[in-house]
Amino acid sequence: MTPEKRERILDYALPWGLIVAILLVWQLADAVFKIPVFVLPSPVEIIQSFWKWRVPIVDNASHTLFATALGFSIAIVVGLLMGIVIGSSRLVYRAVYPVLIAFNSIPKIVVAPILIIWFGIGLVPAVITAFLISFFPIVVNVAAGIATVEPELTDVMRALGAKKRDIVLNVGLPRSMPYFFASLKVGITTAFVGTIVAEFVGSNKGIGHLMTVAASRFDTPLVFAGAISTAIMGVAMYTIAASIEKRTTGWATRGQSAASQTV
């Protein structure tokens, strides 16, 4: 077996091995200390609840996934465009960036009730909350990638007759792609947080609503099952983003990979 293949197998096996170890310790601790189900259910009890309520879990999870994906897609488009505009102009950067910082400092759990007052209970507040909580890292990373293009490279492009727009599109934007995909992997997890928060505050469907109803009945295994289903969706979307990143920005890490193999 080649070292590369062995390393690839370890990359896949280690996370699963850690998950299995945590579940075994959890199950053993529950059996030894006899923890009440309503305080901390065992993994077996959570799996049983997952199977028992599989239909409503899938139904509500699909609603949460759709709201998150829609809000996150809007965040990608808006964040990418805003990042290009902010990173391309030092004046715009200085004017807009503090406003973005101030807006992002507002807890989104405060914004969610306002959105429900404006748009009512349903899909729209969840989509907007997912958008609001995930677009900030995209804007910041894209703007930083464009704004920090090396002055020497900019001077060379200008000497070759390139305009500012050409420099941004042909140099700044490709240079910001690793930052962009890094922000996507961060933003997708926070997008689920935004959706769940909106569903907690006021919704008639979604994993957040399901967990609220389960908590009101002290059905702790169902609460954990809802949380785990959200984690599964988050990992799936993170994996998709990471796969796209590997295919489109492999050039950014190729040199690091070659260097690590020579060490």
Side-chain angles (χ1 to χ4, degrees):
M1 183 182 297
T2 62
E4 293 80 6
K5 188 174 182 180
R6 188 183 301 111
E7 184 177 358
R8 195 178 303 114
I9 293 175
L10 285 176
D11 288 340
Y12 285 104
L14 286 177
W16 288 107
L18 180 60
I19 292 174
V20 171
I22 292 174
L23 293 177
L24 289 176
V25 172
W26 184 353
Q27 183 70 36
L28 181 61
D30 186 83
V32 171
F33 297 104
K34 300 186 183 301
I35 304 175
V37 176
F38 71 90
V39 175
L40 181 64
S42 67
V44 172
E45 291 166 337
I46 295 173
I47 294 173
Q48 291 173 346
S49 179
F50 212 118
W51 178 253
K52 178 181 178 181
W53 301 103
R54 61 189 182 279
V55 174
I57 288 176
V58 171
D59 184 41
N60 286 277
S62 62
H63 183 274
T64 299
L65 180 61
F66 177 75
T68 304
L70 181 57
F72 186 61
S73 299
I74 299 173
I76 292 175
V77 176
V78 176
L80 185 59
L81 294 177
M82 286 187 63
I84 294 173
V85 173
I86 295 173
S88 303
S89 172
R90 185 173 299 179
L91 181 62
V92 176
Y93 190 95
R94 291 178 178 177
V96 177
Y97 198 78
V99 178
L100 289 175
I101 294 293
F103 179 77
N104 191 63
S105 301
I106 301 175
K108 299 306 177 286
I109 196 172
V110 176
V111 179
I114 300 175
L115 295 175
I116 291 173
I117 293 174
W118 288 350
F119 301 103
I121 295 175
L123 180 67
V124 176
V127 172
I128 297 177
T129 308
F131 161 76
L132 292 177
I133 205 171
S134 61
F135 94 106
F136 179 77
I138 299 175
V139 173
V140 171
N141 281 273
V142 173
I146 294 176
T148 55
V149 173
E150 292 79 358
E152 297 82 2
L153 186 56
T154 303
D155 293 339
V156 171
M157 292 292 292
R158 286 175 178 170
L160 294 174
K163 298 179 180 179
K164 186 175 182 179
R165 182 184 62 182
D166 298 325
I167 296 174
V168 171
L169 295 179
N170 298 320
V171 179
L173 192 57
R175 187 185 185 280
S176 66
M177 284 297 99
Y179 300 92
F180 171 66
F181 280 102
S183 67
L184 291 189
K185 292 187 290 186
V186 173
I188 189 56
T189 56
T190 58
F192 275 104
V193 173
T195 304
I196 296 298
V197 165
E199 293 172 349
F200 273 144
V201 174
S203 179
N204 52 11
K205 199 172 185 181
I207 289 296
H209 171 71
L210 178 69
M211 293 173 67
T212 302
V213 174
S216 67
R217 301 186 320 207
F218 292 93
D219 191 350
T220 311
L222 182 57
V223 175
F224 273 84
I228 292 173
S229 65
T230 305
I232 293 173
M233 291 186 292
V235 170
M237 294 193 69
Y238 179 95
T239 303
I240 293 173
S243 177
I244 297 174
E245 177 190 24
K246 186 176 180 180
R247 293 177 179 274
T248 56
T249 62
W251 53 267
T253 56
R254 193 174 300 142
Q256 297 176 3
S257 299
S260 63
Q261 291 176 3
T262 57
V263 173

